Amino acid sequence: MRDVSLRVNKGEFAFLTGHSGSGKSTTMRLIHMSDRPSSGEINVDGYSSDHITQRDLWKVRRLVGMVFQDFRLLPGRTALENVAFALEVTGTPRKAIPARANLLLAQVGFAPKTDALVEQLSGGERQRVAIARALANEPDILLADEPTGNLDDQATSEILDLFWDINANGMAVLMATHDLELIGRHPNARVIELDQGRLVSDSNIMRSGTH
Amino acid sequence: MYAIREAAAAFRRAPILTALSAGMVGLALYVVGLFSLATYNLRIALEAIEERVEIVVYIRDNTRQSEIDLFLTEIMDFQEVSNTKLISKMDALERAQRDLPEFGQLFLDSEVNPLPQSIEIALNPGNRTPETIAKVVKAAQSYTFVEDALYGEEWVDRLFALRKIGLATTTAAGAAFAMVAALIIGAALRIAVFARREEIYVMRLVGARNGFIRSPFLLEGALAGLTGGILASGLTYGSYRGVSTYMLDVAWIPFSWVGIGLTAGLLFGTISSAVAIHRHLKKV
Ligand SMILES: Nc1ncnc2c1ncn2[C@@H]1O[C@H](COP(=O)(O)OP(=O)(O)OP(=O)(O)O)[C@@H](O)[C@H]1O
Ligand SMILES: [Mg+2]
């Protein structure tokens, strides 16, 4: 990644696009601080990659929810258990977990099959569970790395609707995709294009800066 | 608590692995226990022998009593000297008759007593070293009326060499097998971390604290170390009972040694598991 200066604002909806290998996933890992930049700085709500210690990275991770093309749910556990796990390991009081996990699943439109193992769910259903898990800590931004890559058109548009719902509640959404047709269907969103690790275009030049 | 529940869950998931690693740690520490037992008993035996380390100073005949008295006070000034005992010519004769009855008649028959008078110098415990002995012997020999000063130098030197060898062997073997135990725990923990890599990935993804991710593994390592330590203590005690019942009468190691062993097991378990998961958590 070179010369990328990007700022995602609170409550924004943006697509991150570009060819394979252009650096979309890398950008997301940098924001989540699962990768550290070799030079330059990442800033998430005041936490700077220059100053934050390994010990404190969890603070950034709770501000940044993340979902992936391949869902990355824990196999052998139910939908509810997957969401409950995220709540448990981030210190939610044990008694509050079941109700909160059910609420999160209801929020993403996943209510009836909470006790089904994730292996038994469809791709669209799994992605909803993954989104519910990403929302567990009420992050400020949701990063979605090609979340619809494994889904059909029907499921894709349902997930996009869900993202807009989430965004309407004030959360920023940054979604990586190389599906230009899909981007075309959402003219209200900001579009950021990367090519070979460089920022080549941004529909929202006015508000560029460093994220 | 989460850590306890997770460590228990880890045991339920892979009871054989956990039991196996605790068992192997137990065996490694058992060797350390046997060495401790041997060293401790060697030490007791050596101390008993050391009590008999003394210097005998032979006095020429015709030495005046005042000179001997002066010698006794001066030699008592050494801090290392605990006691002196004057053996007169008569005493020496009686002793010879008692200890060597076959010569008894010979001594009685002769007109003159051929045995010299002597002074036995005992040293304080902890000062029965070759250096101290040499110092006192040298001082004694500086008196003109002292015929000779003897102390069985060869066996004193051997005694101390034996003691050093015993200590060195136990230390080396103890360190080696404690290392083996630590490596076993480390390897088992790496397997446990690998088995839970997906959970660890998700924990980091959603922002669990490092300490939270580590604690169940640390607890597991500590428990493996402690269990191994208890197992080793049991095995060592069993061996002790076996040996003292059927072979020779040995002493059980001090309770504090057992305590140190268990603490070391606990500590080794925790440290080696900390190292094992630290490596894993560095990446991702
Ligand atoms: N830490 C790193 N250091 C150097 N290069 C890296 C690093 N991580 C990834 N890359 C490279 O950066 C490029 C961009 O990778 P990235 O996964 O971000 O692309 P992408 O836009 O997500 O592609 P895709 O659409 O296939 O998912 C790749 O060529 C990759 O090999
Ligand atoms: Mg990618």
Side-chain angles (χ1 to χ4, degrees):
Chain A
M1 304 280 301
R2 268 170 296 166
D3 306 333
V4 175
S5 184
L6 180 66
R7 178 183 183 86
V8 180
N9 295 293
K10 272 199 171 16
E12 201 166 34
F13 194 115
F15 286 112
L16 189 60
T17 185
H19 294 294
S20 188
S22 59
K24 303 182 292 292
S25 299
T26 305
T27 303
M28 295 194 156
R29 278 203 305 277
L30 288 170
I31 298 171
H32 185 255
M33 294 196 194
S34 32
D35 269 356
R36 296 278 190 130
S38 45
S39 66
E41 188 193 354
I42 314 291
N43 198 301
V44 178
D45 285 353
Y47 293 110
S48 161
S49 61
D50 283 351
H51 304 118
I52 197 162
T53 60
Q54 190 78 24
R55 274 184 88 85
D56 283 339
L57 282 177
W58 61 271
K59 293 176 181 167
V60 172
R61 309 261 160 89
R62 291 185 195 185
L63 292 168
V64 179
M66 233 176 154
V67 296
F68 305 91
Q69 179 171 1
D70 54 356
F71 320 121
R72 306 195 187 173
L73 297 170
L74 293 174
R77 303 196 193 212
T78 66
L80 192 69
E81 284 167 350
N82 264 276
V83 179
F85 182 80
L87 291 167
E88 182 179 18
V89 302
T90 50
T92 308
R94 228 165 127 60
K95 282 184 180 168
I97 291 175
R100 175 122 180 81
N102 274 306
L103 182 68
L104 284 161
L105 284 170
Q107 275 172 2
V108 298
F110 185 98
K113 297 188 188 168
T114 52
D115 289 331
L117 291 175
V118 291
E119 287 88 342
Q120 297 161 353
L121 302 176
S122 73
E125 287 167 338
R126 287 187 209 192
Q127 196 58 286
R128 284 176 194 273
V129 176
I131 294 165
R133 180 179 71 185
L135 299 182
N137 292 301
E138 298 172 339
D140 285 346
I141 185 169
L142 179 66
L143 302 180
D145 193 351
E146 312 205 24
T148 57
N150 279 339
L151 306 181
D152 64 13
D153 288 348
Q154 167 77 24
T156 296
S157 78
E158 281 174 18
I159 293 294
L160 260 294
D161 288 348
L162 176 59
F163 284 159
W164 280 108
D165 280 353
I166 291 166
N167 178 248
N169 287 325
M171 195 179 299
V173 175
L174 180 65
M175 170 173 163
T177 180
H178 44 230
D179 186 347
L180 296 176
E181 201 189 319
L182 178 117
I183 293 172
R185 288 201 294 269
H186 298 273
N188 291 333
R190 174 180 173 187
V191 181
I192 301 155
E193 189 182 349
L194 296 175
D195 185 35
Q196 295 185 351
R198 290 171 193 272
L199 186 73
V200 291
S201 78
D202 185 347
S203 67
N204 199 358
I205 309 278
M206 301 295 292
R207 280 188 276 171
S208 66
T210 306
H211 187 109
Chain B
M1 232 190 81
Y2 167 82
I4 297 169
R5 256 185 295 123
E6 274 304 308
F11 179 76
R12 256 183 281 116
R13 263 194 297 275
I16 294 177
L17 178 70
T18 316
L20 213 63
S21 79
M24 290 200 291
V25 169
L27 284 180
L29 293 178
Y30 171 50
V31 176
V32 180
L34 286 183
F35 269 99
S36 308
L37 198 61
T39 313
Y40 183 66
N41 279 282
L42 182 65
R43 205 163 101 173
I44 291 176
L46 291 182
E47 269 165 10
I49 298 172
E50 275 170 35
E51 270 173 29
R52 286 154 56 187
V53 170
E54 59 175 17
I55 301 162
V56 183
V57 176
Y58 294 97
I59 310 288
R60 291 183 206 281
D61 289 353
N62 310 323
T63 305
R64 268 176 288 141
Q65 187 61 38
S66 60
E67 285 179 308
I68 293 172
D69 289 344
L70 182 69
F71 175 80
L72 288 176
T73 23
E74 283 181 4
I75 222 75
M76 277 306 285
D77 282 346
F78 282 93
Q79 282 176 356
E80 295 90 344
V81 173
S82 71
N83 201 11
T84 56
K85 190 176 175 197
L86 182 67
I87 309 290
S88 69
K89 286 175 79 75
M90 256 333 276
D91 293 337
L93 189 61
E94 273 172 24
R95 228 191 244 187
Q97 282 170 338
R98 193 177 62 234
D99 294 348
L100 308 161
E102 57 272 37
F103 294 110
Q105 210 47 45
L106 184 76
F107 288 131
L108 280 185
D109 289 351
S110 79
E111 296 278 304
V112 287
N113 181 352
L115 299 172
Q117 58 182 327
S118 62
I119 296 167
E120 290 174 357
I121 303 170
L123 298 169
N124 284 315
N127 279 317
R128 293 159 187 152
T129 63
E131 294 76 34
T132 315
I133 293 167
K135 192 168 107 182
V136 176
V137 165
K138 203 163 164 240
Q141 280 170 339
S142 66
Y143 292 84
T144 51
F145 55 82
V146 169
E147 173 100 49
D148 205 354
L150 300 177
Y151 69 95
E153 42 195 298
E154 232 174 64
W155 70 263
V156 169
D157 288 347
R158 279 201 197 148
L159 199 63
F160 276 87
L162 202 61
R163 204 179 174 163
K164 276 183 191 157
I165 290 169
L167 188 67
T169 315
T170 311
T171 311
F177 280 94
M179 194 75 97
V180 169
L183 288 177
I184 292 166
I185 294 176
L189 256 293
R190 226 162 295 163
I191 294 170
V193 167
F194 184 76
R196 305 240 312 136
R197 65 194 180 286
E198 286 170 322
E199 279 90 347
I200 293 174
Y201 173 81
V202 172
M203 284 193 249
R204 315 198 93 196
L205 181 71
V206 300
R209 292 177 198 230
N210 280 352
F212 186 90
I213 300 173
R214 286 195 183 119
S215 53
F217 295 107
L218 294 183
L219 192 66
E220 210 181 317
L223 280 180
L226 187 63
T227 313
I230 292 169
L231 204 65
S233 305
L235 286 171
T236 309
Y237 188 73
S239 309
Y240 152 74
R241 290 304 298 261
V243 169
S244 45
T245 310
Y246 299 109
M247 291 161 73
L248 63 149
D249 198 20
V250 290
W252 177 238
I253 52 175
F255 192 70
S256 61
W257 288 29
V258 180
I260 291 169
L262 292 183
T263 314
L266 192 75
L267 227 59
F268 266 117
T270 316
I271 293 170
S272 56
S273 55
V275 171
I277 62 167
H278 182 73
R279 289 224 193 108
H280 183 85
L281 293 185
K282 262 270 159 98
K283 38 191 187 167
V284 184

